[in-house]
Amino acid sequence: MKIVIIGGVAAGTSAAAKARRNSEDAQIIIFDADKDISYSGCGLPYYIGPEIEGREQLVPRDAKYFKQKYNVDVYTSHKVLEIKSQPKTLVVQNLISGEVFTESYDRLVIATGAQAVIPAIEGSDKPNVFYLRNVVSADKIRKYVLEGKPKTAVIVGSGFIGLEMAENLTVRGIHVTVVELAQHVMPALDQDVAIYLEEYLKEKGITVIVNDSVVRMEGSFEDSKVVLKSGRELTADLVVMAVGVRPNIELARAAGIELGETGAISVNTKMQTSIDGIYACGDCTESYSLITGKPFYRPLGSTANKMGRIVGDQITGNDLEFRGGLGTGIFKVFDMAVAQTGLTEKEAKREGYEVIVCYNIKPDKPEYFGGQEMVIKAVADKRSGKILGAQIVGKAGVDKRIDVFVTAITFGAKAEDLFHLDLAYAPPFSTTKDPVMYTGMILDNVLRRGRKLISPEELQEKVASGEEIQIIDARVAKQYQAEHMEGARNIPQEHIRTELNSMDKEKVTVTYCNKGVTGNAAQNILLNHGFKQVFNLSGGYKNYGKQRKR
Amino acid sequence: MKIVIIGGVAAGTSAAAKARRNSEDAQIIIFDADKDISYSGCGLPYYIGPEIEGREQLVPRDAKYFKQKYNVDVYTSHKVLEIKSQPKTLVVQNLISGEVFTESYDRLVIATGAQAVIPAIEGSDKPNVFYLRNVVSADKIRKYVLEGKPKTAVIVGSGFIGLEMAENLTVRGIHVTVVELAQHVMPALDQDVAIYLEEYLKEKGITVIVNDSVVRMEGSFEDSKVVLKSGRELTADLVVMAVGVRPNIELARAAGIELGETGAISVNTKMQTSIDGIYACGDCTESYSLITGKPFYRPLGSTANKMGRIVGDQITGNDLEFRGGLGTGIFKVFDMAVAQTGLTEKEAKREGYEVIVCYNIKPDKPEYFGGQEMVIKAVADKRSGKILGAQIVGKAGVDKRIDVFVTAITFGAKAEDLFHLDLAYAPPFSTTKDPVMYTGMILDNVLRRGRKLISPEELQEKVASGEEIQIIDARVAKQYQAEHMEGARNIPQEHIRTELNSMDKEKVTVTYCNKGVTGNAAQNILLNHGFKQVFNLSGGYKNYGKQRKR
């Protein structure tokens, strides 16, 4: 049995290693057009910044390692030109010698990855315009940064890579401007979550431009500039294009392998393509959502690794299958972590769910232990009560909470289940009730206890529509006096019980405080006293203020 | 409706707050014999150390707060002397005035907590012998530490509180000796996990004495000592007794309320005691294991809080029920975190499970990003494949992994499920496959793929029994030469394929490396070449070495 794998980064090498662990009989060959294999693609931005000092930290393994450890033959600088299925052969070119040869296979694994999208923009071929995709491209940027000493950079695109680059270039002393076509940075997030990130980037000295795009890059190094659609011109000694990646599917398509609706290679749960004996995995491959069951394209190192292992198991006659993903992502920018799993509100609505949404602002541990606030936006399905997704921004403990959500969602958790989790509590690690538990409690209070929430956007719409509502600011007088919502009346929560008669039980009422807890307490009192319709402002004035500033 | 709650710390105040959130009609009264309420019991050791500077950080809320916010009447320094169920009344004493009066109730909540166990030891009434249970007792220790300037301390007991005290006193410049009756520190852990903690405590300058106990405390302040059963004598300016807590059940017992087999108050999932209208919650109450369904006693702040909320919901006519716990615990000692959930190996065996156990040593994130090793010991049920429990020690990311285990176990996860979790990956937060996923993979390889593990203890037994086995050290020659297992032959993993004929396929074979990964690779090669019985040493030589040193 001869296994040939095209591509030797995350998915390809995982497939090879797993196949070898299962079988000593198979002959296993990897071809990769690149000179580096098995590197940490997700570490690349940190190699441009000072965090990763040496290339060998990023690329710890070479062909020799795979031969010794796994008896796998890795041919780097070998480009596969064509896949034939009858007979099962590949046409391969040695990029060093130029030689072209034919290689047979019994099982073929396509792990060709993805490449940076290169938009057709005038000047994108200038020597100071870069793309980050592999180690060689990172080497180039690193060299340019260290030797060219650029003072200004424009990053086009604000996904993971764009923002990680923004951090790393800023740390190198370069002034960074991020240009994003969408209405907000990190378009995979909901806008009302992205706003927290956007504000933070600005605090860190990064110029953020949204709703705009690059139309032209011009000038020489000494006087290089980027011209935007809006007409705005930016000085840019360095430009990084990070507008996304697209799957490398040319080889597969030419071989007649079916592509999915996302444009990536379509596979079943065994990672088999439409042609017998040919498998695909990693960033060239379509996966699917565990929640909706529908195909999606999520080029992530973790997913590539997982898919590769499944392929390695399958091609050696075993039974691992892909179970679907949640599209979980996380990244750090300076001291802030931003994480997301499952469906955003936007996605959930697009999928036709009737959604319940909450914003939960809580410290990761007690304030007396240095706790820092995080904002959790969670989305639940009104019909089933199930959690559909979560987005979290904060400076500490974000990765823990998103992973608890991931695990809960994977097992179909309902909002009401989260409170019951016996999560680990001690003051250095968490609050007595963890922020995840609070999130479940808030959602469950909406779902089953009539404690309705209103989002800043919904409240603004209500006010704008001219609907008559009474807005109760339940904070202490000092906070109200400092700043409050237009039209709001201040009744500190501790006085609400004595002020009941001064309010109208029949009128739609909105309560709020700083973050939502006291507003909920006020809401409880009013509902328990027979007020007909009471909404608590989710995330409180703090969240409202963020959203309003936009 | 009149609700009376006895006890105003975690459970009692949670019950009151939840009851009020649900109902404005009820009259709610809390009696507490102490002068402080609603404090963070888990924060007490850090108030003796320098982490928590002020008493007000520990006790942020007082009776006035509860009146204003929740319209709850809190009576501190009020001791309930007797519970009567017919008619429903309490006999209460005002500890300040001495007045004794009768109070009626419709619903009674017993949240009397627990108290430190005070063993009958000669000299335990000396002024330099302390117990830590409430804020007043912490005040005393704090005062003694700051004013008496003790130089040496003996801590009796090595549970959460004992070890947290050990850290905080050490940070205050005091030399600490911990004396533990059991064979190892932190008796709730398995011995082979506790050994990592024990070594670390010693590294931090703490003297650890196990298998011994205090028989006598003698001398005056200037020349105070602690005499152990072994005859050993320890100088001790300060002694902290931390040998555990016991539930305060005297009131309940006198009222004829049923106690459970653990000695704590028995309740159903609605937190009802055996007497109609009387509920119990918190550290005075028995809970039960979500895994075994059997009663257990786990006096934890997180559980108390949860139980209190459930009681508050129930007594106002709602439907929250207790779903069982996992006995999850976590604590920090200096820079090390120690966490545990579900069943230990010891407990699982006692419960009659046929267990699969693995040790997984992995960094919390890539080494190039400063990853630090953690040791995960996980236990699975051979029959169902379900995860039964996990214990983790390490310096970073321990709390995240234990919470993922907690969530997975809660939903009945099997070992094979962990690999499929779409956990959040980026280099600052995790490795491409998270340590939790690896743990699932290792266990599943045992359960379904014939990749048997052997524990250090089992290997030592095998060797001691005289059974003829071939032990293969699969590490590079340099590592083998530095130190290796007696009788082991060095065949670096990359040479195993060419050395197959020099080994005996029929003989029981044990492979090992440093942590287990390369040993598993060697095991795979041998099994795939027809070797009959191959075990990989779980946790590798690193774990073996730790265990052997004992």
Side-chain angles (χ1 to χ4, degrees), chain B residues 240-280:
Chain B
V240 179
M241 301 297 294
V243 297
V245 299
R246 61 177 186 78
N248 289 323
I249 46 79
E250 292 70 16
L251 263 181
R253 184 163 53 193
I257 291 169
E258 242 173 58
L259 302 183
E261 59 188 63
T262 65
I265 300 171
S266 177
V267 291
N268 61 16
T269 57
K270 296 178 177 178
M271 309 307 295
Q272 292 169 315
T273 68
S274 61
I275 296 183
D276 187 48
I278 303 184
Y279 296 74

Side-chain angles (χ1 to χ4, degrees), chain A residues 360-524:
Chain A
N360 178 23
I361 304 179
K362 288 285 184 315
D364 68 306
K365 53 187 175 182
E367 272 142 26
Y368 66 74
F369 235 99
Q372 298 187 86
E373 257 174 22
M374 69 178 81
V375 181
I376 301 178
K377 176 177 180 179
V379 182
D381 174 20
K382 192 171 179 180
R383 189 169 315 195
S384 65
K386 284 187 181 179
I387 308 289
L388 297 174
Q391 297 162 73
I392 315 181
V393 292
K395 293 192 181 167
V398 168
D399 59 328
K400 171 161 84 172
R401 275 65 186 205
I402 206 74
D403 276 357
V404 172
F405 274 110
V406 165
T407 310
I409 293 172
T410 300
F411 289 97
K414 292 182 180 185
E416 62 179 272
D417 296 332
L418 300 182
F419 162 71
H420 294 277
L421 292 174
D422 190 7
L423 297 171
Y425 164 60
F429 303 102
S430 174
T431 46
T432 318
K433 281 196 280 278
D434 189 86
V436 172
M437 293 165 67
Y438 279 115
T439 306
M441 288 157 57
I442 295 168
L443 289 171
D444 190 42
N445 276 337
V446 181
L447 283 159
R448 304 193 309 128
R449 300 289 178 98
R451 263 55 175 175
K452 291 182 193 164
L453 295 172
I454 190 164
S455 71
E457 195 185 344
E458 289 165 342
L459 178 56
Q460 283 173 313
E461 281 167 13
K462 238 187 219 311
V463 171
S465 77
E467 188 181 333
E468 223 187 308
I469 50 175
Q470 54 189 350
I471 304 178
I472 307 299
D473 183 324
R475 301 175 300 168
V476 296
K478 216 171 85 179
Q479 293 180 319
Y480 174 85
Q481 282 150 14
E483 199 182 9
H484 62 264
M485 207 169 286
E486 208 184 308
R489 179 180 163 202
N490 184 217
I491 311 180
Q493 185 261 330
E494 62 204 66
H495 298 143
I496 285 192
R497 291 184 178 91
T498 54
E499 287 287 345
L500 290 168
N501 292 333
S502 72
M503 289 176 272
D504 184 346
K505 288 189 179 189
E506 305 299 320
K507 207 186 263 186
V508 170
T509 305
V510 173
T511 55
Y512 76 88
C513 60
N514 274 333
K515 301 178 209 166
V517 176
T518 301
N520 170 244
Q523 176 188 35
N524 287 330

Side-chain angles (χ1 to χ4, degrees), chain A residues 305 313 328 422 433 449, chain B residues 305 313 326 328 422 433 449:
Chain A
N305 206 291
D313 207 50
T328 310
D422 190 7
K433 281 196 280 278
R449 300 289 178 98
Chain B
N305 206 290
D313 207 50
L326 295 173
T328 309
D422 191 7
K433 282 196 280 279
R449 300 290 177 98

Side-chain angles (χ1 to χ4, degrees), chain B residues 29-41:
Chain B
I29 295 171
I30 297 178
F31 291 116
D32 200 303
D34 203 345
K35 65 173 190 162
D36 302 298
I37 57 157
S38 192
Y39 57 81
S40 168

Side-chain angles (χ1 to χ4, degrees), chain A residues 260-291:
Chain A
E261 60 188 61
T262 66
I265 300 171
S266 178
V267 291
N268 60 16
T269 57
K270 296 178 176 176
M271 310 307 294
Q272 293 170 314
T273 68
S274 60
I275 295 184
D276 186 47
I278 304 184
Y279 296 74
C281 53
D283 289 359
C284 62
T285 311
E286 186 169 275
S287 59
Y288 71 97
S289 161
L290 187 59
I291 298 176

Side-chain angles (χ1 to χ4, degrees), chain A residues 11 28 61 118 121 144 223-224 226 229 239 247 250 291 393 416 505 516:
Chain A
I28 306 176
R61 292 161 190 173
I118 303 187
I121 296 176
Y144 188 81
D223 184 26
S224 180
V226 171
K229 197 174 175 190
V239 179
E250 292 70 15
I291 298 176
V393 292
E416 62 179 272
K505 288 189 179 189

